[in-house]
């Protein structure tokens, strides 16, 4: 039986930023400090930790918190994604795309082109998905794009 913590990060106004579970809250805070340094983590001023006897109990509590409390930046395990969460999620994906580019010091032009392509792909995907989500929110019918080149 592994004790597991449910944690919540709040902003200065008490707004819920993020909810998660872990068996090591201090280590997980360090991960968030690194991974969300340019999104929500700098907004966090308080952290609340509640311990559960089992991971299953913590998972149940996390699902309830995500459904009922609607944290601003959670992405996984949530049926609603706020614009802030979506933006942070896309930012992390773009960083991963850039990190995946092979750097070739012998050919800086090729490296620059690869980075630009990775960023462009991520931006287009993010824009497409963001527009799709907004259309779903306002219940627009699916749109068909026709070739208008002629």
């Amino acid at each position: 039986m592994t004790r597991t913590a449910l944690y919540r990060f709040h902003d200065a106004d008490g707004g819920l930023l993020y909810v998660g579970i872990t068996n090591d809250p201090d280590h997980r805070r360090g991960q968030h400090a690194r991974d969300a340094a340019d999104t929500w983590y700098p907004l966090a001023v308080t952290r609340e930790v509640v311990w559960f006897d089992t991971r299953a109990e913590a998972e149940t509590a996390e699902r309830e918190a995500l459904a009922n409390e609607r944290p601003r930046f959670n992405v996984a395990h949530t049926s609603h994604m706020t614009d802030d969460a979506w933006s942070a999620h896309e930012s992390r994906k773009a960083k991963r795309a850039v990190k995946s580019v092979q750097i070739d010091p012998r050919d800086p032009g090729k490296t620059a082109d690869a980075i630009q392509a990775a960023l462009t792909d991520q931006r287009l995907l993010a824009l497409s998905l963001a527009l799709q989500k907004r259309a779903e929110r306002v219940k627009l019918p699916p749109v068909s794009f026709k070739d208008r080149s002629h």
Side-chain angles (χ1 to χ4, degrees):
M1 181 163 42
T2 302
R3 285 184 44 158
T4 303
L6 169 72
Y7 61 91
R8 292 173 176 89
F9 283 98
H10 296 270
D11 64 19
D13 297 324
L16 184 59
L17 298 171
Y18 192 87
V19 172
I21 60 172
T22 183
N23 63 350
D24 187 344
D26 292 332
H27 178 74
R28 189 67 178 119
R29 181 196 330 222
Q31 289 175 320
H32 286 309
R34 181 188 66 241
D35 298 341
D38 60 348
T39 56
W40 65 265
Y41 190 78
L43 303 173
V45 296
T46 62
R47 180 184 68 163
E48 170 191 353
V49 177
V50 179
W51 285 95
F52 292 86
D53 289 332
T54 67
R55 183 164 187 88
E57 291 172 335
E59 288 171 349
T60 298
E62 179 187 34
R63 280 191 301 276
E64 290 173 3
L66 291 171
N68 299 325
E69 300 170 35
R70 302 178 73 100
R72 188 170 150 194
F73 285 95
N74 278 81
V75 174
H77 312 299
T78 183
S79 61
H80 69 285
M81 190 182 304
T82 66
D83 289 340
D84 287 335
W86 186 257
S87 177
H89 177 67
E90 290 305 312
S91 173
R92 286 190 299 272
K93 282 177 36 181
K95 284 180 185 176
R96 283 193 300 270
V98 169
K99 285 181 182 178
S100 72
V101 171
Q102 296 296 318
I103 305 296
D104 185 353
R106 296 165 295 171
D107 191 351
K110 180 179 176 183
T111 299
D113 290 346
I115 290 171
Q116 185 61 45
L119 284 173
T120 300
D121 288 348
Q122 286 302 313
R123 286 183 184 135
L124 290 175
L125 176 62
L127 176 61
S128 170
L129 293 173
L131 290 171
Q132 179 183 349
K133 287 185 78 58
R134 287 190 177 147
E136 289 170 0
R137 270 192 295 233
V138 295
K139 301 191 179 358
L140 288 177
V143 176
S144 163
F145 294 97
K146 297 179 181 168
D147 182 6
R148 298 175 193 226
S149 60
H150 52 275

